Amino acid sequence: MLVLTLVILLLPPAYQQPLRTALRGTILRPFIAAQAQLAARQGRSVDVTAIRAQRDSLAALAAAQASLALENRQLRALLRIADRLRSQFRPATVLRLGTAGAESTFIVDVGSAEGVQVGSPVITAEGVLGVVWETAEHSAQAIDWTHPQFVVSAMTANGDAYGLVQARRGRFREEDLLVLTGAPFSSDVRPGARVVASGRGNVFPRGVMIGTVLGIEEADTGWRKSYLLRPAVRPEAVRHVLVGIAAAGDLSAIWHTAAPPDPALADTTGGGAAAAAAAPQPDGQ
Amino acid sequence: MMPGRSGSFWVFVGLLVLAYLLLHVSFGYRGPGPDFIAIAVLLAARRTTGPQAAALALGLGLLADALSLTAFGATALALVAVGWVGARTRDLFEGGSYLFTALYLFLGKWLIDALYLLVAPDARAGAVRGALWTVVPLNALYTAVAGAFALAAYRWTVGERPGR
């Protein structure tokens, strides 16, 4: 029995997924559905004002995104380039799980039937929340930014420094922060500076807010600097999100990001390394 | 186990599993609290053989792991190992008092969590070493107290004497 369990534990995620999906779709299904019902009821009765405000923000975000997409389409039509950057989002409700191993993850009530894919970005009106890791027909499981394997390609809002943002765990989950790593040693990012998604890797749209700089975490022997960030979104407080369902575009205007165009995005080979780093890797590698 | 009580005991185990699923899946509770699946496995281990306890632990462990993206099988492994050891403790300790049960559940839950932290990839990546001496004993304490109360309720319901 112990050997069998070890084999299951060491199986590649692709082989584990059917077993997990079967358990979720059968025994756990009524319990997950119960939480969805509870979330819906809570949304109707408890803090209607707060949730309405959150939904309004998301609606405004979606509307702004739609107008940007329209503008982009018109520009692309003028330039006769392929429709590569069309970005769309689906609103979704977040379900939290308390089982072992489900820390830093959440379920959204939209899935592959709605166009959600592995790697779809999950954002709120405040900024980056997480990325979809696994999809079912009408639901998907995602990791939030506190997950050890979460990485997003980032830049300062003025475009002075680029790097990767990862979680930095605190003693308690409420103390979890983000850290911008790989910034050039010559960079001088002041506390309070905004850090946004750079768009490299095509996971998160360029310009989505990630957090604000608290200070330098470490200066790596004259080569690199790391900056601690206060995250824009606290995962435990989120109930409604937007889930990307297509290739992401540029959302810089929504978060007032004034960075100049990224030279690495113009050169597709240059963005390759960052793209690989930022893309979710469900096999855990 | 007496044949007449076998059925009612498995209903009790089923209720513990139901409590776990309601608390952690339906209500999404993440804070410190009793682990009803650990209670179910550890109490069942005292009344079954090693292989039976391990089989139960495997099933319940996979159920608990079904929502884990990066540590599928870690809870199952911890439960199987501790469940099998729990069944073997009958050869060493005959205690049936509530104090003994609480101590047994405390140590069992602490071992389950320690094994989990050892094998779960996420646990290794995070700053959880300190948890072994902070959060884990707290959860073990909750589990021990809740398990002792649950066992008392079961015994009261079926008329079983504590000394068995």
Side-chain angles (χ1 to χ4, degrees), chain B residues 56-80:
Chain B
L56 175 73
L58 176 62
L60 295 184
L62 290 180
L63 194 62
D65 278 336
L67 295 162
S68 171
L69 286 175
T70 52
F72 184 70
T75 308
L77 182 71
L79 283 173
V80 166

Side-chain angles (χ1 to χ4, degrees), chain B residues 94-110:
Chain B
E94 265 299 321
S97 70
Y98 291 117
L99 185 64
F100 172 83
T101 303
L103 185 64
Y104 164 73
L105 290 174
F106 180 87
L107 289 175
K109 172 61 179 165
W110 190 88

Side-chain angles (χ1 to χ4, degrees), chain A residues 123-200:
Chain A
I123 64 173
T124 72
E126 287 76 34
V128 167
L129 174 65
V131 62
V132 171
W133 206 264
E134 204 169 274
T135 59
E137 193 176 357
H138 293 294
S139 67
Q141 194 165 2
I143 60 170
D144 63 42
W145 61 258
T146 64
H147 197 279
Q149 295 186 32
F150 178 85
V151 184
V152 55
S153 203
M155 63 179 184
T156 52
N158 58 10
D160 281 353
Y162 282 76
L164 296 173
V165 167
Q166 294 174 285
R168 182 69 79 234
R169 284 195 170 177
R171 285 175 304 163
F172 302 101
R173 303 312 303 269
E174 294 77 13
E175 294 179 357
D176 286 351
L177 293 173
L178 288 163
V179 61
L180 173 69
T181 61
F185 189 76
S186 58
S187 65
D188 182 22
V189 183
R190 299 287 179 183
R194 294 183 304 128
V195 173
V196 299
S198 69
R200 292 179 181 178

Side-chain angles (χ1 to χ4, degrees), chain A residues 39-221:
Chain A
R41 183 168 292 185
Q42 200 174 20
R44 282 195 299 268
S45 61
V46 181
D47 50 353
V48 178
T49 311
I51 289 172
R52 192 174 291 157
Q54 207 169 41
R55 280 189 168 162
D56 288 348
S57 300
L58 291 172
L61 183 61
Q65 154 60 11
S67 67
L68 276 177
L70 179 64
E71 189 180 331
N72 280 341
R73 271 200 301 275
Q74 290 167 343
L75 288 170
R76 277 196 301 274
L78 286 171
L79 296 169
R80 298 188 178 191
I81 60 172
D83 188 18
R84 289 180 304 145
L85 297 177
R86 185 164 55 91
S87 175
Q88 290 176 293
F89 291 89
R90 292 273 183 190
T93 301
V94 170
L95 305 179
R96 291 267 164 200
L97 304 162
T99 56
E103 301 90 357
S104 303
T105 72
F106 57 93
I107 288 179
V108 288
D109 60 353
V110 291
S112 53
E114 287 82 17
V116 176
Q117 304 165 7
V118 172
S120 291
V122 183
I123 64 173
T124 72
E126 287 76 34
V128 167
L129 174 65
V131 62
V132 171
W133 206 264
E134 204 169 274
T135 59
E137 193 176 357
H138 293 294
S139 67
Q141 194 165 2
I143 60 170
D144 63 42
W145 61 258
T146 64
H147 197 279
Q149 295 186 32
F150 178 85
V151 184
V152 55
S153 203
M155 63 179 184
T156 52
N158 58 10
D160 281 353
Y162 282 76
L164 296 173
V165 167
Q166 294 174 285
R168 182 69 79 234
R169 284 195 170 177
R171 285 175 304 163
F172 302 101
R173 303 312 303 269
E174 294 77 13
E175 294 179 357
D176 286 351
L177 293 173
L178 288 163
V179 61
L180 173 69
T181 61
F185 189 76
S186 58
S187 65
D188 182 22
V189 183
R190 299 287 179 183
R194 294 183 304 128
V195 173
V196 299
S198 69
R200 292 179 181 178
N202 290 330
V203 175
F204 286 94
R206 178 179 164 89
V208 181
M209 183 72 177
I210 296 174
T212 49
V213 173
L214 290 170
I216 291 181
E217 189 199 37
E218 63 175 359
D220 185 11
T221 60

Side-chain angles (χ1 to χ4, degrees), chain A residues 1 4-5 8-9 16 20 23-24 27-28 31-32 34-35 38 96-102 105 133 141 147-148 169, chain B residues 18 21 24-30 58 62-64 66-69 72-77 80 116 122 125-126:
Chain A
M1 205 66 70
L4 176 63
T5 319
I8 292 171
L9 178 67
Q16 292 175 341
R20 282 204 308 265
L23 286 167
R24 283 183 213 175
I27 302 172
L28 294 179
F31 297 98
I32 295 172
Q35 189 183 150
L38 283 171
R96 291 267 164 200
L97 304 162
T99 56
T105 72
W133 206 264
Q141 194 165 2
H147 197 279
R169 284 195 170 177
Chain B
L18 185 68
L21 294 175
H24 295 291
V25 180
S26 292
F27 294 108
Y29 181 71
R30 291 184 166 189
L58 176 62
L62 290 180
L63 194 62
L67 295 162
S68 171
L69 286 175
F72 184 70
T75 308
L77 182 71
V80 166
Y116 176 84
D122 281 354

